[in-house]
Amino acid sequence: LRQYAESTLGKASLHEAVLLPEGESLDEWVACHVVDFYNHINMLFMSVSHHCTDETCPRMCAGDGFNYFWRDGVTYREPTAMPANKYVGLLIKWIDAQLDDTSVFPVDMGQQFPHAFRAEVAPQILKRMLRVYAHLYWHHYPQICQVGLATMLNTSFTHFTLFVTKYKLVSDTELQAVKDVIKILA
Protein backbone atom coordinates (compact mmCIF):
# COMPACT_ATOMS: atom_id res chain seq x y z
CA LEU A 1 0.00 0.00 0.00
CA ARG A 2 2.82 2.42 0.80
CA GLN A 3 4.27 1.93 -2.70
CA TYR A 4 0.85 2.57 -4.21
CA ALA A 5 0.38 5.72 -2.15
CA GLU A 6 3.84 7.03 -3.06
CA SER A 7 3.38 6.23 -6.74
CA THR A 8 0.14 8.21 -6.92
CA LEU A 9 1.63 11.36 -5.39
CA GLY A 10 3.77 12.28 -8.36
CA LYS A 11 1.45 11.07 -11.08
CA ALA A 12 -2.01 12.14 -10.00
CA SER A 13 -3.60 14.78 -7.92
CA LEU A 14 -3.54 14.57 -4.17
CA HIS A 15 -7.31 14.14 -4.34
CA GLU A 16 -6.75 10.82 -6.08
CA ALA A 17 -3.88 9.85 -3.78
CA VAL A 18 -6.19 9.68 -0.76
CA LEU A 19 -8.67 7.29 -2.38
CA LEU A 20 -8.68 3.76 -0.99
CA PRO A 21 -7.38 1.34 -3.63
CA GLU A 22 -9.99 -1.19 -4.69
CA GLY A 23 -9.98 -4.32 -2.57
CA GLU A 24 -7.76 -2.87 0.17
CA SER A 25 -8.54 -2.61 3.87
CA LEU A 26 -9.47 0.87 5.06
CA ASP A 27 -7.74 0.21 8.40
CA GLU A 28 -4.55 -0.71 6.56
CA TRP A 29 -4.86 2.39 4.35
CA VAL A 30 -5.30 4.64 7.38
CA ALA A 31 -2.36 2.98 9.17
CA CYS A 32 -0.14 3.44 6.11
CA HIS A 33 -0.99 7.15 6.03
CA VAL A 34 -0.48 7.57 9.78
CA VAL A 35 3.06 6.25 9.37
CA ASP A 36 3.74 8.47 6.36
CA PHE A 37 2.42 11.62 8.03
CA TYR A 38 4.37 10.76 11.17
CA ASN A 39 7.57 10.56 9.13
CA HIS A 40 6.74 13.90 7.48
CA ILE A 41 6.06 15.84 10.67
CA ASN A 42 9.07 14.29 12.37
CA MET A 43 11.39 15.33 9.53
CA LEU A 44 9.83 18.77 9.13
CA PHE A 45 9.94 19.57 12.83
CA MET A 46 13.50 18.28 13.24
CA SER A 47 14.62 20.52 10.38
CA VAL A 48 13.67 23.62 12.40
CA SER A 49 13.82 22.27 15.96
CA HIS A 50 16.82 24.43 16.85
CA HIS A 51 14.49 27.44 16.37
CA CYS A 52 11.82 25.93 18.62
CA THR A 53 13.21 26.35 22.12
CA ASP A 54 11.76 26.90 25.57
CA GLU A 55 12.45 30.61 25.05
CA THR A 56 11.11 31.06 21.51
CA CYS A 57 8.10 28.75 21.93
CA PRO A 58 7.30 28.59 25.66
CA ARG A 59 3.93 26.94 24.93
CA MET A 60 2.62 24.55 22.33
CA CYS A 61 0.27 26.68 20.30
CA ALA A 62 -0.80 27.90 16.90
CA GLY A 63 -0.92 31.67 17.16
CA ASP A 64 -2.62 33.19 20.16
CA GLY A 65 -5.96 31.43 19.77
CA PHE A 66 -5.01 27.77 19.90
CA ASN A 67 -3.13 26.38 22.89
CA TYR A 68 -2.37 22.70 23.13
CA PHE A 69 -1.82 20.77 26.34
CA TRP A 70 -0.15 17.38 26.71
CA ARG A 71 -1.91 14.47 28.36
CA ASP A 72 -0.89 10.85 27.96
CA GLY A 73 -2.86 9.29 30.81
CA VAL A 74 0.32 7.95 32.41
CA THR A 75 2.95 10.56 33.27
CA TYR A 76 0.68 13.47 32.41
CA ARG A 77 -2.76 12.51 33.69
CA GLU A 78 -4.16 16.03 33.35
CA PRO A 79 -3.77 18.40 30.37
CA THR A 80 -0.41 20.09 30.94
CA ALA A 81 0.99 23.26 29.37
CA MET A 82 4.57 22.99 28.21
CA PRO A 83 7.02 24.40 25.66
CA ALA A 84 6.36 23.34 22.07
CA ASN A 85 9.64 21.44 21.72
CA LYS A 86 8.83 19.33 24.79
CA TYR A 87 5.27 18.69 23.55
CA VAL A 88 6.55 17.55 20.15
CA GLY A 89 9.25 15.39 21.77
CA LEU A 90 6.66 13.67 23.95
CA LEU A 91 4.36 13.31 20.96
CA ILE A 92 7.06 11.64 18.87
CA LYS A 93 7.80 9.16 21.68
CA TRP A 94 4.08 8.53 22.21
CA ILE A 95 3.47 7.89 18.50
CA ASP A 96 6.56 5.64 18.36
CA ALA A 97 5.08 3.57 21.19
CA GLN A 98 1.74 3.34 19.35
CA LEU A 99 3.42 2.29 16.10
CA ASP A 100 5.57 -0.29 17.88
CA ASP A 101 2.56 -1.86 19.63
CA THR A 102 1.48 -4.70 17.35
CA SER A 103 -1.90 -4.87 19.08
CA VAL A 104 -2.54 -1.32 17.78
CA PHE A 105 -0.60 -1.44 14.49
CA PRO A 106 -0.50 -5.12 13.45
CA VAL A 107 2.41 -6.26 11.32
CA ASP A 108 1.40 -9.81 10.47
CA MET A 109 -0.80 -10.54 7.46
CA GLY A 110 -4.32 -11.34 8.54
CA GLN A 111 -3.90 -9.83 12.01
CA GLN A 112 -6.84 -7.55 12.78
CA PHE A 113 -6.65 -3.91 13.80
CA PRO A 114 -8.28 -3.05 17.13
CA HIS A 115 -12.02 -2.42 16.95
CA ALA A 116 -11.58 1.27 17.81
CA PHE A 117 -8.68 1.89 15.42
CA ARG A 118 -10.48 4.29 13.03
CA ALA A 119 -12.84 5.70 15.64
CA GLU A 120 -10.31 6.46 18.39
CA VAL A 121 -6.69 5.42 17.86
CA ALA A 122 -5.93 6.94 14.45
CA PRO A 123 -7.96 10.13 15.08
CA GLN A 124 -6.09 10.81 18.34
CA ILE A 125 -2.71 10.39 16.64
CA LEU A 126 -3.73 12.48 13.62
CA LYS A 127 -5.25 15.24 15.77
CA ARG A 128 -1.94 15.58 17.60
CA MET A 129 0.00 15.54 14.33
CA LEU A 130 -2.24 18.35 13.08
CA ARG A 131 -1.09 20.41 16.04
CA VAL A 132 2.52 20.07 14.88
CA TYR A 133 1.60 21.18 11.36
CA ALA A 134 -0.30 24.13 12.87
CA HIS A 135 2.63 25.10 15.08
CA LEU A 136 5.01 24.90 12.13
CA TYR A 137 2.82 27.17 10.00
CA TRP A 138 2.14 29.72 12.73
CA HIS A 139 5.59 29.89 14.30
CA HIS A 140 8.24 28.41 12.00
CA TYR A 141 7.19 28.92 8.39
CA PRO A 142 10.04 31.40 7.69
CA GLN A 143 12.56 28.83 8.95
CA ILE A 144 10.88 26.08 6.90
CA CYS A 145 11.33 28.33 3.84
CA GLN A 146 14.97 29.04 4.75
CA VAL A 147 15.83 25.34 4.78
CA GLY A 148 14.01 24.81 1.47
CA LEU A 149 11.16 22.68 2.81
CA ALA A 150 8.14 24.90 2.11
CA THR A 151 7.01 22.74 -0.82
CA MET A 152 7.43 19.61 1.28
CA LEU A 153 5.42 21.12 4.15
CA ASN A 154 2.67 22.42 1.86
CA THR A 155 2.37 19.15 -0.08
CA SER A 156 2.45 17.02 3.06
CA PHE A 157 -0.11 19.22 4.80
CA THR A 158 -2.42 19.31 1.78
CA HIS A 159 -2.25 15.51 1.54
CA PHE A 160 -2.87 15.28 5.30
CA THR A 161 -5.94 17.55 5.24
CA LEU A 162 -7.43 15.83 2.20
CA PHE A 163 -6.93 12.45 3.86
CA VAL A 164 -8.28 13.30 7.31
CA THR A 165 -11.30 15.09 5.89
CA LYS A 166 -12.07 12.35 3.36
CA TYR A 167 -12.16 9.70 6.09
CA LYS A 168 -13.47 12.02 8.85
CA LEU A 169 -10.48 11.38 11.11
CA VAL A 170 -10.02 14.92 12.45
CA SER A 171 -12.84 17.25 13.43
CA ASP A 172 -13.50 20.58 11.74
CA THR A 173 -12.98 22.21 15.15
CA GLU A 174 -9.39 20.95 15.26
CA LEU A 175 -8.78 22.21 11.72
CA GLN A 176 -9.75 25.78 12.67
CA ALA A 177 -6.17 26.65 13.66
CA VAL A 178 -5.08 26.18 10.04
CA LYS A 179 -8.27 27.05 8.14
CA ASP A 180 -6.57 29.95 6.35
CA VAL A 181 -3.66 27.74 5.27
CA ILE A 182 -6.11 25.12 4.00
CA LYS A 183 -7.92 27.79 1.92
CA ILE A 184 -4.66 29.10 0.46
CA LEU A 185 -3.43 25.62 -0.47
CA ALA A 186 -6.79 24.42 -1.87
Side-chain angles (χ1 to χ4, degrees), residues 44-110:
L44 288 162
F45 184 79
M46 290 305 142
S47 71
V48 296
S49 62
H50 56 286
H51 294 287
C52 190
T53 66
D54 291 0
E55 293 76 33
T56 61
C57 300
R59 58 194 171 92
M60 180 60 176
C61 60
D64 291 329
F66 299 91
N67 293 294
Y68 305 119
F69 302 91
W70 183 255
R71 179 172 60 183
D72 60 15
V74 180
T75 306
Y76 298 89
R77 294 183 186 275
E78 297 299 321
T80 306
M82 62 184 57
N85 61 344
K86 184 173 182 180
Y87 181 104
V88 175
L90 290 170
L91 175 61
I92 297 299
K93 288 179 186 169
W94 179 79
I95 294 173
D96 277 340
Q98 302 291 310
L99 296 176
D100 289 344
D101 184 344
T102 58
S103 71
V104 177
F105 281 84
V107 293
D108 296 327
M109 289 295 280

Coordinates of all heavy atoms in Angstrom, one line a residue, residues 44-110:
L44 N 10.0 17.3 9.2 CA 9.8 18.8 9.1 C 10.1 19.5 10.4 O 10.8 20.5 10.5 CB 8.4 19.1 8.7 CG 8.1 18.7 7.2 CD1 6.6 18.6 7.0 CD2 8.7 19.8 6.3
F45 N 9.7 18.9 11.5 CA 9.9 19.6 12.8 C 11.4 19.5 13.2 O 12.0 20.5 13.6 CB 9.1 18.9 14.0 CG 9.3 19.7 15.3 CD1 8.7 20.9 15.5 CD2 10.2 19.2 16.2 CE1 8.9 21.6 16.7 CE2 10.5 19.9 17.4 CZ 9.8 21.1 17.6
M46 N 12.1 18.4 12.9 CA 13.5 18.3 13.2 C 14.3 19.3 12.4 O 15.4 19.7 12.9 CB 14.0 16.8 13.0 CG 13.5 15.9 14.0 SD 13.8 16.4 15.7 CE 12.3 15.9 16.6
S47 N 13.9 19.6 11.2 CA 14.6 20.5 10.4 C 14.6 21.9 10.9 O 15.5 22.7 10.6 CB 14.1 20.5 8.9 OG 12.8 21.2 8.9
V48 N 13.7 22.3 11.8 CA 13.7 23.6 12.4 C 13.7 23.6 13.9 O 13.5 24.6 14.6 CB 12.5 24.4 11.9 CG1 12.6 24.7 10.4 CG2 11.1 23.8 12.3
S49 N 13.9 22.4 14.5 CA 13.8 22.3 16.0 C 14.8 23.2 16.7 O 14.4 23.6 17.8 CB 14.0 20.8 16.4 OG 15.3 20.4 16.0
H50 N 15.9 23.5 16.1 CA 16.8 24.4 16.8 C 16.2 25.8 17.0 O 16.7 26.6 17.8 CB 18.2 24.4 16.2 CG 18.2 24.8 14.7 ND1 17.7 23.9 13.7 CD2 18.5 25.9 14.1 CE1 17.8 24.5 12.6 NE2 18.3 25.7 12.7
H51 N 15.2 26.1 16.2 CA 14.5 27.4 16.4 C 13.3 27.4 17.3 O 12.7 28.4 17.7 CB 13.9 27.9 15.0 CG 15.0 28.2 14.0 ND1 15.8 29.3 14.1 CD2 15.4 27.5 12.9 CE1 16.6 29.4 13.1 NE2 16.4 28.3 12.3
C52 N 13.0 26.1 17.7 CA 11.8 25.9 18.6 C 12.4 25.6 20.0 O 12.5 24.4 20.3 CB 10.9 24.8 18.1 SG 9.3 24.7 18.9
T53 N 12.6 26.6 20.8 CA 13.2 26.4 22.1 C 12.2 26.7 23.2 O 11.2 27.3 22.9 CB 14.5 27.2 22.3 OG1 14.1 28.6 22.2 CG2 15.5 26.9 21.1
D54 N 12.6 26.5 24.4 CA 11.8 26.9 25.6 C 11.5 28.4 25.5 O 10.5 28.9 26.0 CB 12.4 26.5 26.9 CG 12.5 25.0 27.1 OD1 12.0 24.3 26.3 OD2 13.0 24.6 28.2
E55 N 12.5 29.2 25.1 CA 12.5 30.6 25.1 C 11.6 31.1 23.9 O 10.8 32.0 24.0 CB 13.9 31.2 25.0 CG 14.7 31.0 26.3 CD 15.3 29.6 26.4 OE1 15.6 29.0 25.3 OE2 15.4 29.1 27.5
T56 N 11.8 30.6 22.7 CA 11.1 31.1 21.5 C 9.7 30.5 21.4 O 8.8 31.2 20.9 CB 11.8 30.7 20.2 OG1 11.9 29.2 20.1 CG2 13.2 31.3 20.1
C57 N 9.4 29.4 22.0 CA 8.1 28.8 21.9 C 7.8 28.2 23.3 O 7.8 27.0 23.5 CB 8.0 27.7 20.9 SG 8.4 28.2 19.2
P58 N 7.5 29.1 24.3 CA 7.3 28.6 25.7 C 6.0 27.8 25.9 O 5.8 27.2 26.9 CB 7.3 29.9 26.5 CG 6.9 30.9 25.5 CD 7.4 30.5 24.2
R59 N 5.1 27.7 24.9 CA 3.9 26.9 24.9 C 3.7 26.3 23.6 O 4.0 26.9 22.5 CB 2.7 27.8 25.4 CG 2.4 29.0 24.6 CD 1.5 29.9 25.3 NE 1.4 31.2 24.6 CZ 0.5 31.4 23.6 NH1 -0.5 30.5 23.4 NH2 0.4 32.5 23.0
M60 N 3.0 25.2 23.6 CA 2.6 24.5 22.3 C 1.3 25.2 21.9 O 0.3 25.1 22.5 CB 2.4 23.1 22.5 CG 2.0 22.3 21.3 SD 3.2 22.5 20.0 CE 2.5 21.4 18.7
C61 N 1.4 25.9 20.8 CA 0.3 26.7 20.3 C 0.3 26.9 18.8 O 1.4 26.6 18.1 CB 0.2 28.0 21.0 SG 1.6 29.1 20.7
A62 N -0.7 27.5 18.3 CA -0.8 27.9 16.9 C -1.4 29.3 17.0 O -2.6 29.5 17.1 CB -1.7 27.0 16.1
G63 N -0.5 30.3 17.0 CA -0.9 31.7 17.2 C -1.4 31.9 18.6 O -1.0 31.1 19.5
D64 N -2.2 32.9 18.8 CA -2.6 33.2 20.2 C -3.9 32.5 20.5 O -4.2 32.3 21.7 CB -2.8 34.7 20.3 CG -1.5 35.5 20.3 OD1 -0.5 34.9 20.8 OD2 -1.5 36.6 19.8
G65 N -4.6 32.0 19.5 CA -6.0 31.4 19.8 C -6.0 29.9 20.0 O -7.1 29.4 20.4
F66 N -5.0 29.2 19.8 CA -5.0 27.8 19.9 C -3.8 27.3 20.7 O -2.7 27.3 20.3 CB -5.0 27.1 18.5 CG -6.1 27.5 17.7 CD1 -6.0 28.6 16.8 CD2 -7.3 26.8 17.7 CE1 -7.1 29.0 16.0 CE2 -8.4 27.2 16.9 CZ -8.3 28.3 16.1
N67 N -4.1 26.9 22.0 CA -3.1 26.4 22.9 C -3.4 24.9 23.1 O -4.5 24.4 23.2 CB -3.2 27.1 24.2 CG -2.8 28.5 24.1 OD1 -1.7 28.8 23.9 ND2 -3.8 29.4 24.3
Y68 N -2.3 24.1 23.0 CA -2.4 22.7 23.1 C -1.7 22.2 24.4 O -0.6 22.7 24.7 CB -1.8 22.0 21.9 CG -2.4 22.6 20.6 CD1 -1.6 23.2 19.7 CD2 -3.7 22.4 20.3 CE1 -2.1 23.7 18.5 CE2 -4.3 22.9 19.2 CZ -3.5 23.5 18.2 OH -4.0 24.0 17.1
F69 N -2.3 21.3 25.1 CA -1.8 20.8 26.3 C -1.6 19.3 26.2 O -2.3 18.6 25.5 CB -2.8 21.0 27.4 CG -3.2 22.5 27.6 CD1 -4.2 23.1 26.9 CD2 -2.4 23.3 28.4 CE1 -4.5 24.4 27.0 CE2 -2.7 24.6 28.6 CZ -3.7 25.2 27.9
W70 N -0.5 18.8 26.8 CA -0.2 17.4 26.7 C -0.8 16.6 27.8 O -0.8 17.0 29.0 CB 1.4 17.2 26.8 CG 1.7 15.7 26.6 CD1 2.1 14.9 27.6 CD2 1.6 15.0 25.4 NE1 2.3 13.6 27.0 CE2 2.0 13.7 25.7 CE3 1.3 15.4 24.1 CZ2 2.0 12.7 24.7 CZ3 1.3 14.4 23.1 CH2 1.7 13.1 23.4
R71 N -1.4 15.4 27.4 CA -1.9 14.5 28.4 C -1.7 13.1 27.7 O -2.1 12.9 26.6 CB -3.4 14.7 28.6 CG -4.0 13.7 29.6 CD -5.4 14.0 30.0 NE -6.3 14.0 28.9 CZ -7.6 14.3 29.0 NH1 -8.1 14.6 30.2 NH2 -8.3 14.3 27.9
D72 N -1.1 12.2 28.5 CA -0.9 10.8 28.0 C -1.6 9.8 28.8 O -1.5 8.6 28.5 CB 0.6 10.5 27.8 CG 1.4 10.6 29.1 OD1 0.8 10.7 30.2 OD2 2.6 10.7 29.0
G73 N -2.2 10.2 29.9 CA -2.9 9.3 30.8 C -1.9 8.5 31.7 O -2.4 7.7 32.5
V74 N -0.6 8.7 31.6 CA 0.3 8.0 32.4 C 1.1 8.9 33.2 O 0.9 9.2 34.4 CB 1.2 7.1 31.5 CG1 2.2 6.3 32.4 CG2 0.4 6.1 30.7
T75 N 2.1 9.6 32.6 CA 3.0 10.6 33.3 C 2.2 11.9 33.4 O 2.3 12.5 34.4 CB 4.3 10.8 32.5 OG1 4.9 9.5 32.3 CG2 5.2 11.7 33.2
Y76 N 1.5 12.2 32.4 CA 0.7 13.5 32.4 C -0.8 13.1 32.4 O -1.4 12.9 31.3 CB 1.0 14.3 31.2 CG 2.5 14.8 31.2 CD1 3.5 14.0 30.6 CD2 2.8 16.0 31.8 CE1 4.8 14.5 30.6 CE2 4.1 16.4 31.9 CZ 5.1 15.6 31.3 OH 6.4 16.1 31.3
R77 N -1.4 12.9 33.6 CA -2.8 12.5 33.7 C -3.8 13.6 33.4 O -4.9 13.4 33.0 CB -3.0 11.9 35.1 CG -2.2 10.6 35.3 CD -2.6 10.0 36.6 NE -1.7 8.9 36.9 CZ -2.0 7.6 36.5 NH1 -3.1 7.4 35.8 NH2 -1.2 6.6 36.8
E78 N -3.3 14.9 33.6 CA -4.2 16.0 33.4 C -3.5 16.8 32.2 O -2.3 16.8 32.0 CB -4.2 16.9 34.6 CG -4.9 16.2 35.8 CD -6.4 15.8 35.5 OE1 -7.1 16.6 34.8 OE2 -6.8 14.7 35.9
P79 N -4.3 17.6 31.4 CA -3.8 18.4 30.4 C -2.7 19.4 31.0 O -3.0 20.1 31.9 CB -5.0 19.2 29.8 CG -6.1 18.3 30.2 CD -5.8 17.6 31.5
T80 N -1.5 19.4 30.4 CA -0.4 20.1 30.9 C 0.2 21.0 29.9 O 0.6 20.6 28.8 CB 0.7 19.1 31.4 OG1 0.1 18.2 32.4 CG2 1.8 19.8 32.1
A81 N 0.3 22.3 30.2 CA 1.0 23.3 29.4 C 2.5 23.0 29.4 O 3.0 22.6 30.5 CB 0.7 24.7 29.8
M82 N 3.1 23.2 28.3 CA 4.6 23.0 28.2 C 5.1 23.6 26.9 O 4.3 23.9 26.0 CB 4.9 21.5 28.2 CG 4.4 20.7 27.1 SD 4.7 18.9 27.2 CE 4.0 18.5 28.8
P83 N 6.4 23.9 26.9 CA 7.0 24.4 25.7 C 6.7 23.5 24.5 O 6.6 22.3 24.6 CB 8.5 24.5 26.0 CG 8.6 24.5 27.5 CD 7.4 23.7 27.9
A84 N 6.7 24.1 23.3 CA 6.4 23.3 22.1 C 7.4 22.2 21.8 O 7.0 21.1 21.4 CB 6.3 24.3 20.9
N85 N 8.7 22.5 22.0 CA 9.6 21.4 21.7 C 9.5 20.2 22.6 O 9.6 19.1 22.2 CB 11.1 22.0 21.8 CG 11.4 22.5 23.2 OD1 10.6 22.8 24.0 ND2 12.7 22.7 23.4
K86 N 9.1 20.5 23.9 CA 8.8 19.3 24.8 C 7.6 18.6 24.4 O 7.6 17.3 24.4 CB 8.7 19.8 26.2 CG 8.6 18.7 27.2 CD 8.6 19.2 28.7 CE 8.5 18.0 29.6 NZ 8.5 18.4 31.0
Y87 N 6.5 19.3 24.0 CA 5.3 18.7 23.6 C 5.6 17.8 22.3 O 5.1 16.6 22.3 CB 4.3 19.8 23.2 CG 2.9 19.3 22.7 CD1 1.8 19.3 23.6 CD2 2.7 18.8 21.4 CE1 0.6 18.9 23.1 CE2 1.5 18.3 21.0 CZ 0.4 18.4 21.9 OH -0.8 17.9 21.4
V88 N 6.3 18.3 21.4 CA 6.6 17.6 20.2 C 7.4 16.3 20.5 O 7.2 15.3 20.0 CB 7.2 18.4 19.0 CG1 7.6 17.6 17.8 CG2 6.2 19.5 18.6
G89 N 8.4 16.5 21.4 CA 9.3 15.4 21.8 C 8.4 14.3 22.4 O 8.6 13.1 22.1
L90 N 7.5 14.7 23.3 CA 6.7 13.7 24.0 C 5.7 13.0 22.9 O 5.5 11.8 23.0 CB 5.9 14.3 25.1 CG 6.7 14.7 26.3 CD1 5.8 15.6 27.3 CD2 7.2 13.5 27.0
L91 N 5.2 13.8 22.0 CA 4.4 13.3 21.0 C 5.1 12.3 20.1 O 4.5 11.2 19.8 CB 3.8 14.4 20.1 CG 3.0 14.0 18.9 CD1 1.7 13.3 19.3 CD2 2.6 15.2 18.0
I92 N 6.3 12.6 19.7 CA 7.1 11.6 18.9 C 7.3 10.3 19.6 O 7.0 9.2 19.0 CB 8.4 12.3 18.5 CG1 8.2 13.5 17.6 CG2 9.3 11.2 17.8 CD1 7.5 13.3 16.3
K93 N 7.6 10.4 20.9 CA 7.8 9.2 21.7 C 6.5 8.4 21.8 O 6.4 7.2 21.7 CB 8.4 9.5 23.1 CG 9.8 9.9 23.0 CD 10.3 10.3 24.4 CE 11.7 10.8 24.3 NZ 12.1 11.4 25.6
W94 N 5.4 9.2 22.0 CA 4.1 8.5 22.2 C 3.6 7.8 20.9 O 3.1 6.7 20.9 CB 3.1 9.6 22.6 CG 1.7 9.1 22.8 CD1 1.2 8.4 23.9 CD2 0.6 9.3 21.9 NE1 -0.2 8.1 23.7 CE2 -0.5 8.7 22.5 CE3 0.5 9.9 20.7 CZ2 -1.8 8.6 21.8 CZ3 -0.8 9.8 20.0 CH2 -1.9 9.2 20.6
I95 N 3.8 8.5 19.8 CA 3.5 7.9 18.5 C 4.4 6.7 18.2 O 3.9 5.6 17.8 CB 3.5 8.9 17.3 CG1 2.5 10.0 17.5 CG2 3.3 8.2 16.0 CD1 2.6 11.1 16.5
D96 N 5.7 6.8 18.5 CA 6.6 5.6 18.4 C 6.0 4.4 19.1 O 6.0 3.3 18.6 CB 8.0 6.0 18.9 CG 8.8 6.7 17.9 OD1 8.5 6.7 16.7 OD2 9.8 7.3 18.3
A97 N 5.6 4.7 20.4 CA 5.1 3.6 21.2 C 3.8 3.0 20.6 O 3.6 1.7 20.6 CB 4.8 4.1 22.6
Q98 N 2.9 3.8 20.0 CA 1.7 3.3 19.4 C 2.1 2.5 18.1 O 1.5 1.4 17.9 CB 0.9 4.5 18.9 CG 0.4 5.4 20.0 CD -0.6 4.8 20.9 OE1 -1.5 4.2 20.5 NE2 -0.3 4.9 22.2
L99 N 3.0 3.0 17.3 CA 3.4 2.3 16.1 C 4.1 1.0 16.4 O 4.0 0.0 15.6 CB 4.3 3.2 15.2 CG 3.7 4.5 14.7 CD1 4.7 5.3 13.9 CD2 2.5 4.1 13.8
D100 N 4.9 0.9 17.5 CA 5.6 -0.3 17.9 C 4.7 -1.3 18.5 O 5.1 -2.5 18.7 CB 6.7 0.0 18.8 CG 7.9 0.8 18.1 OD1 7.9 0.7 16.9 OD2 8.7 1.4 18.8
D101 N 3.5 -1.0 19.0 CA 2.6 -1.9 19.6 C 1.8 -2.6 18.6 O 0.9 -2.1 17.9 CB 1.6 -1.1 20.5 CG 0.7 -1.9 21.3 OD1 0.5 -3.1 21.0 OD2 0.1 -1.4 22.3
T102 N 2.1 -3.9 18.4 CA 1.5 -4.7 17.3 C 0.0 -5.0 17.6 O -0.7 -5.5 16.7 CB 2.2 -6.0 17.1 OG1 2.3 -6.8 18.3 CG2 3.6 -5.7 16.6
S103 N -0.5 -4.7 18.8 CA -1.9 -4.9 19.1 C -2.7 -3.6 18.6 O -3.9 -3.7 18.4 CB -2.2 -5.1 20.6 OG -2.0 -3.9 21.3
V104 N -1.9 -2.5 18.3 CA -2.5 -1.3 17.8 C -2.3 -1.2 16.3 O -3.2 -0.9 15.5 CB -2.0 -0.1 18.5 CG1 -2.5 1.2 17.9 CG2 -2.3 -0.2 20.0
F105 N -1.0 -1.5 15.9 CA -0.6 -1.4 14.5 C -0.1 -2.8 14.1 O 1.1 -3.1 14.3 CB 0.5 -0.4 14.3 CG -0.1 1.0 14.2 CD1 -0.3 1.8 15.3 CD2 -0.4 1.6 12.9 CE1 -0.8 3.1 15.2 CE2 -0.9 2.9 12.8 CZ -1.1 3.6 14.0
P106 N -0.9 -3.7 13.7 CA -0.5 -5.1 13.4 C 0.5 -5.2 12.3 O 0.4 -4.4 11.4 CB -1.8 -5.8 13.1 CG -2.9 -4.9 13.2 CD -2.3 -3.5 13.5
V107 N 1.4 -6.1 12.4 CA 2.4 -6.3 11.3 C 2.3 -7.6 10.6 O 2.8 -7.7 9.5 CB 3.9 -6.1 11.9 CG1 4.1 -4.7 12.4 CG2 4.1 -7.1 13.0
D108 N 1.6 -8.5 11.1 CA 1.4 -9.8 10.5 C 0.2 -9.8 9.6 O -0.9 -9.3 9.9 CB 1.3 -10.9 11.5 CG 2.5 -11.1 12.3 OD1 3.6 -10.9 11.8 OD2 2.4 -11.4 13.5
M109 N 0.3 -10.4 8.4 CA -0.8 -10.5 7.5 C -2.0 -11.3 8.2 O -1.8 -12.2 8.9 CB -0.4 -11.3 6.2 CG 0.6 -10.6 5.3 SD -0.2 -9.1 4.6 CE -1.1 -9.9 3.3
G110 N -3.1 -10.7 8.0 CA -4.3 -11.3 8.5 C -4.6 -10.9 10.0 O -5.7 -11.2 10.5

